[in-house]
Amino acid sequence: MSRIISYSTADKADVLGFLGAAGNLTSDQQRILDRVRDRAQRSQRELDRQGVDWGLSVPDALEHLLAGHASSNAEYAAGAYYQALQHIIDCNASDPFELGVYSKPSTFFGLVDEELRRLDVSADLLLHEHLFSGPPKEIPFPIPRPVDGPHIGMLPLAKAKPAADAYRAVLDRMEEGFRYDVQEIAEKLEAEHDEWEYATKNIDWYTQDTLFFSITG
């Protein structure tokens, strides 16, 4: 089954501000939370339509995260927690864009990492590590990671241009089967960098600092 990788930009602190914050939200956060809850309910309806049962509903998973825990013992509860967290990210982020569609993204980007490593690209700029990094490490409680997805990844926006430059620098020496995808990704990373750089300098309320990736089936 093909997987869709999409991305958007957000202030990581805005996302973290909802976790464990039940009952202490600002009016702006409460307005955003209303949208998050609506999305959680809609995604659960779609899961029900597909006959998918994670043993924990997405709306209930969301309430757990707001309360500051992810303690369900259901076998597949990790999927519900990641889906709920993705809704929090989405409602605090820019409009999403598609990075690409891949039949086996973990395998493909693992091979891309090997190729970039062979060409001496810095380890902190490798793709797979960021695409499958998981949610922010600053979350003050553990969230189980789903085996089959959905998956969440992150790249600091400050690394977008260095990554794009590093990929372009080795394109002509890269195995041909990777060149098109890596060039496309470099272009998208540079576009995000340009927007981030402009907004940081010219928009006083702009605080976005993270590129969030979402990998769904």
Side-chain angles (χ1 to χ4, degrees):
M1 181 176 67
S2 294
R3 304 273 179 164
I4 301 169
I5 304 180
S6 57
Y7 62 94
S8 58
T9 58
D11 184 335
K12 183 165 63 172
D14 288 345
V15 174
L16 292 169
F18 284 83
L19 305 176
N24 296 296
L25 298 174
T26 66
S27 57
D28 283 344
Q29 286 176 316
Q30 187 60 57
R31 175 180 51 80
I32 293 170
L33 179 57
D34 290 342
R35 292 169 49 212
V36 177
R37 283 178 168 144
D38 180 65
R39 291 193 182 200
Q41 291 166 358
R42 281 189 280 140
S43 64
Q44 185 59 48
R45 286 195 293 270
E46 179 60 20
L47 289 169
D48 292 343
R49 187 189 67 79
Q50 297 174 15
V52 176
D53 183 4
W54 283 331
L56 175 71
S57 74
V58 178
D60 285 347
L62 173 61
E63 298 307 318
H64 288 190
L65 297 181
L66 295 171
H69 68 89
S71 58
S72 172
N73 293 321
E75 184 176 0
Y76 301 106
Y81 286 127
Y82 265 53
Q83 186 65 68
L85 179 56
Q86 187 64 57
H87 290 316
I88 293 174
I89 293 168
D90 290 345
C91 290
N92 283 279
S94 65
D95 291 336
F97 293 93
E98 188 175 287
L99 190 72
V101 180
Y102 301 88
S103 60
K104 296 180 179 179
S106 184
T107 299
F108 177 76
F109 284 103
L111 293 172
V112 170
D113 271 14
E114 290 181 13
E115 182 70 356
L116 293 173
R117 193 179 291 110
R118 180 182 72 81
L119 297 168
D120 297 321
V121 171
S122 176
D124 68 331
L125 300 177
L126 297 180
L127 291 165
H128 188 282
E129 176 183 349
H130 294 293
L131 290 172
F132 293 90
S133 66
K137 292 180 173 55
E138 297 90 340
I139 294 175
F141 54 89
I143 300 178
R145 180 173 295 204
V147 175
D148 298 323
H151 298 292
I152 292 171
M154 298 181 302
L155 175 73
L157 275 165
K159 288 186 177 182
K161 184 66 161 57
D165 289 346
Y167 303 160
R168 283 204 180 98
V170 300
L171 272 176
D172 61 343
R173 294 183 286 131
M174 183 176 291
E175 186 176 321
E176 188 173 353
F178 299 129
R179 287 180 191 170
Y180 176 80
D181 290 278
V182 173
Q183 183 172 354
E184 287 283 300
I185 290 167
E187 291 175 0
K188 291 173 181 177
L189 290 177
E190 186 165 47
E192 289 302 324
H193 163 81
D194 290 346
E195 184 171 339
W196 171 69
E197 184 177 54
Y198 173 85
T200 300
K201 291 179 180 178
N202 296 285
I203 303 175
D204 56 6
W205 51 261
Y206 182 90
T207 59
Q208 294 184 355
D209 57 9
T210 303
L211 192 64
F212 283 94
F213 299 103
S214 170
I215 305 179
T216 58

